[in-house]
Amino acid sequence: MTTLPASSALEEPSVDVSRGWTTTLSLANGAIWVGWFGPLQVLLALQAAELAPGAGMPKESVLAWVTGIGAVVSMVSNPVFGALSDRTTSRFGRRTPWIVGGSATGAAALVLLALAPGLVTMTLGWCLVQVTLNAAFAAVTASVPDQVPHRQRGRVGGWLGAAQMLGVVVGTGLASLGGLLAGYAACAVFCAAGVLPFVVRHKDPALSPAEREPLRWREFLAGFWLSPRRYPDLGWAWLTRFLINLGNSVVLLYLLYYLRDRVHHADPETGVLILTAVNGVTLLATVVVSGVWSDRVGRRKPFVLWAGVLMAGASGLLAVWQTWPGALVAAALLGIGFGVFTSVDFALMTDVLPSAAARGKDLGIINIANSLPQAVAPALSAPIVIHLGGYPALYGVAAGIGLLGALLVHRIRNVP
């Protein structure tokens, strides 16, 4: 195992992390995203279409209910498990038990989800996936401010963003192997195995019982509210992330149905895989470079601003150019923008964290800006597609939401 020089889990990191540390953490992060996005990109949509007749509602509504409820569960789970990992005094460290336990139980939950016979069991299965994988994700995310100095966070954020995109691509590919059970099982195996190199090779700083504050339930629960008045930069950064992610979630939610029903693609499942791959290639071309560039120039806000503007433009393109070539161009532009946004916004968020003792909890609250859009997007998208103008209106709304989020980054004062 790699021995870290820090004597306390609460010390501000000052020693650069190694390439091996970054690589294995990125693999663990990507494995968790495989568990999420294999279902979100392909499997849940196929399952919803199979179960829709028995549920007595359109497949779009089935998918909206399942993903929306699951997103609410995710929104609650992430900060709770982050707070629990903050207080963990295991000899294996604060984060490792949650990474291992969350990914292993998440893999089992994916297999159970594949066997769901109806809408209720499908919803419960997806909620269990969200709970378990969020336990692992909260701990993986908190490892960065625990162990990475500020000067490296753009770089590390870039590699985590690259791993996230590769996780989406790999998850989509595994989900397309053939059949629901095979797709879910493949995602489950990758999810469980992908975290092992990080937890086996690298030591997680342990929190001693003396460093852990006594548990007072009123203070513990009150800690889940981070006042925007007290922490205005954190509030504006959270809102920026939420709106840009909401615009992106609206674009991705009905992508399979968009290709099938609007573009009339001959093989929409393969089409989703191709668009995901195009998006991934352009994201990978920018995500690490932009993170390194941001570290070198010491600025975050301009990168987030122009990334959001580009993503909004790509969403607008889907509204006005509803063809297969238009979808390919939009996917490429979204990848470029999201690559820059993913790495630099992550670094920006870690720069505005209020407390070393509550990094996991605070990042969990910040990560609500990732999961809440998954709950809002179905509630917003289904009525627009079914009753209020279809896909042109849907992607126009997505563009407006993302643009607003990009512009609000100017309200952050203490990060350049």
Side-chain angles (χ1 to χ4, degrees):
M1 287 188 177
T2 301
T3 301
L4 297 173
S7 59
S8 167
L10 303 183
E11 288 186 9
E12 187 65 29
S14 59
V15 178
D16 289 355
V17 294
S18 67
R19 291 182 180 178
W21 189 94
T22 303
T23 300
T24 53
L25 182 73
S26 298
L27 176 60
N29 185 57
I32 295 168
W33 284 86
V34 166
W36 272 325
F37 271 84
L40 281 171
Q41 291 286 86
V42 175
L43 296 171
L44 289 176
L46 294 176
Q47 205 167 6
E50 286 188 6
L51 298 179
M57 61 178 71
K59 61 184 184 295
E60 293 88 353
S61 297
V62 171
L63 184 60
W65 274 106
V66 173
T67 56
I69 294 173
V72 172
V73 171
S74 174
M75 180 177 64
V76 174
S77 300
N78 199 281
V80 168
F81 284 112
L84 292 174
S85 71
D86 285 335
R87 298 183 54 81
T88 297
T89 56
S90 163
R91 65 187 180 91
F92 299 106
R94 289 200 288 177
R95 316 302 179 187
T96 295
W98 298 99
I99 296 173
V100 174
S103 60
T105 53
L110 285 166
V111 176
L112 291 175
L113 175 59
L115 304 175
L119 174 59
V120 173
T121 50
M122 180 184 173
T123 303
L124 292 174
W126 181 238
C127 289
L128 183 59
V129 171
Q130 291 283 23
V131 168
T132 52
L133 292 188
N134 268 287
F137 183 65
V140 165
T141 305
S143 297
V144 176
D146 280 351
Q147 302 190 48
V148 181
H150 287 278
R151 61 180 173 271
Q152 276 192 305
R153 289 182 184 175
R155 181 190 304 270
V156 173
W159 285 111
L160 289 177
Q164 173 182 323
M165 189 63 244
L166 286 174
V168 174
V169 174
V170 171
T172 304
L174 292 176
S176 304
L177 286 177
L180 286 174
L181 182 58
Y184 277 118
C187 292
V189 170
F190 196 100
C191 183
V195 305
L196 295 179
F198 178 71
V199 298
V200 169
R201 292 186 57 193
H202 302 286
K203 183 175 176 61
D204 180 18
L207 181 73
S208 70
E211 292 176 308
R212 184 174 66 181
E213 295 182 1
L215 179 60
R216 300 181 180 91
W217 283 107
R218 180 175 295 181
E219 294 178 4
F220 179 77
L221 295 174
F224 288 99
W225 169 247
L226 293 176
S227 171
R229 289 181 178 272
R230 186 176 181 184
Y231 307 110
D233 280 353
L234 182 62
W236 289 116
W238 189 96
L239 187 58
T240 292
R241 171 178 280 203
F242 168 74
L243 290 172
I244 292 178
N245 276 318
L246 177 58
N248 195 53
S249 296
V250 169
V251 169
L252 295 178
L253 179 64
Y254 288 149
L255 189 58
L256 181 72
Y257 300 155
Y258 171 74
L259 293 181
R260 176 186 295 167
D261 301 335
R262 185 74 182 189
V263 177
H264 304 296
H265 193 282
D267 186 354
E269 294 174 38
T270 301
V272 170
L273 180 59
I274 293 171
L275 292 180
T276 304
V278 170
N279 183 269
V281 168
T282 56
L283 184 150
L284 292 173
T286 60
V287 67
V288 177
V289 172
S290 57
V292 172
W293 188 9
S294 174
D295 283 344
R296 288 181 178 175
V297 302
R299 303 190 70 188
R300 310 295 191 198
K301 291 194 296 187
F303 292 88
V304 174
L305 170 65
W306 290 109
V309 169
L310 183 60
M311 293 172 66
S315 301
L317 193 65
L318 286 171
V320 299
W321 189 15
Q322 298 193 342
T323 64
W324 176 241
L328 288 170
V329 173
L333 294 177
L334 280 169
I336 294 170
F338 200 64
V340 177
F341 173 76
T342 298
S343 60
V344 181
D345 183 69
F346 180 81
L348 186 155
M349 286 295 186
T350 62
D351 288 344
V352 298
L353 291 177
S355 168
R359 290 169 181 146
K361 182 263 294 178
D362 292 343
L363 278 173
I365 294 171
I366 288 170
N367 283 331
I368 292 175
N370 296 332
S371 54
L372 183 58
Q374 297 177 41
V376 176
L380 180 67
S381 301
I384 294 175
V385 171
I386 298 172
H387 303 295
L388 300 175
Y391 290 105
L394 180 70
Y395 292 127
V397 168
I401 292 170
L403 182 61
L404 177 60
L407 295 176
L408 288 179
V409 76
H410 283 305
R411 302 301 299 269
I412 300 170
R413 299 300 183 192
N414 294 316
V415 177

